[in-house]
Amino acid sequence: MLVERGIEVLNVEVVGDAYAIASNYLRKSGAIPDTFATNERLLGIIVKLFQRGEMNRLRLANKAIAKFEAETLVVA
């Protein structure tokens, strides 16, 4: 499913699947709380990576996890 956001077109299915994979891993590792609320920071990372051209769900999730964990280590 494609959703138009202004001029951009976003493939919601790829982004949603990548978010599900990444958030599941990060919840199990304890990096984010185990809630149903969307982690906006993680979603933002995934959307930026997608906009830069990453279309593979698993690669997108792995890159987002690495970036999320790296940013968390710097902040903490």
Side-chain angles (χ1 to χ4, degrees):
M1 174 183 197
L2 298 177
V3 176
E4 189 173 334
R5 294 178 66 196
I7 302 173
E8 306 169 52
V9 175
L10 190 66
N11 187 330
V12 176
E13 188 174 339
V14 171
V15 171
D17 289 349
Y19 179 83
I21 294 165
S23 65
N24 186 41
Y25 172 82
L26 291 169
R27 282 188 181 104
K28 288 186 178 193
S29 70
I32 60 176
D34 192 12
T35 64
F36 288 109
T38 301
N39 185 295
E40 295 296 328
R41 196 170 117 224
L42 177 60
L43 182 59
I45 292 169
I46 291 171
V47 169
K48 283 180 188 172
L49 289 169
F50 181 83
Q51 290 171 338
R52 290 182 187 152
E54 185 57 66
M55 303 293 177
N56 181 286
R57 292 169 174 85
L58 190 53
R59 222 178 0 246
L60 188 57
N62 286 335
K63 287 181 179 183
I65 290 167
K67 187 165 177 66
F68 186 91
E69 289 178 333
E71 289 176 359
T72 302
L73 289 175
V74 171
V75 173

